[in-house]
Amino acid sequence: VEAAGLAETLSGDGPFTVFAPTDAAFAELPAGTLDTLLQPANQDQLAAILTYHVVPAEVMAADVEAGEVPTVNSAPFTVAVDGDGVEITDGQGNQANVVETDIEASNGVVHVIDSVLLPAA
């Protein structure tokens, strides 16, 4: 968040819902991807990916509905609800599952996902 210059934005009043990938999700990115994104020359690309994980509203797990969801990035992702599970399909067709929900923050809520979401190329 700091490398992308988003610390001030995401510490704002919100409310926000953040779909936060696990460390294991970041580890599954192709070798060198994270190091490349953290380089100052790629700050805009990193910011685009990180803001794609943020919804400009507080959405608790019980309120999640299937459909297209707008993000702070302005590119939507798609949510599917199946029983107790929630699956997100990103702009490149990759899927992530919500693995932990409703972690309250001062300006919204965090849901943990098992994959990094990527906006359409």
Side-chain angles (χ1 to χ4, degrees):
V1 170
E2 289 177 9
L6 296 173
E8 186 175 322
T9 299
L10 296 179
S11 64
D13 290 339
F16 299 111
T17 298
V18 176
F19 290 89
T22 61
D23 288 342
F26 280 106
E28 289 181 24
L29 289 172
T33 300
L34 192 54
D35 290 335
T36 299
L37 288 171
L38 291 173
Q39 294 175 357
N42 298 319
Q43 183 177 9
D44 290 345
Q45 186 179 7
L46 179 60
I49 291 170
L50 293 177
T51 56
Y52 190 63
H53 290 79
V54 181
V55 174
E58 184 177 80
V59 182
M60 303 302 284
D63 300 323
V64 171
E65 296 180 0
E68 197 170 87
V69 177
T71 67
V72 170
N73 170 298
S74 296
F77 56 71
T78 304
V79 170
V81 179
D82 182 19
D84 290 334
V86 174
E87 184 176 81
I88 299 169
T89 303
D90 69 15
Q92 296 188 15
N94 303 309
Q95 296 177 333
N97 295 294
V98 176
V99 295
E100 189 174 345
T101 62
D102 295 344
I103 301 167
E104 292 188 37
S106 62
N107 62 353
V109 63
V110 176
H111 303 297
V112 179
I113 57 176
D114 65 358
S115 185
V116 176
L117 302 174
L118 300 171

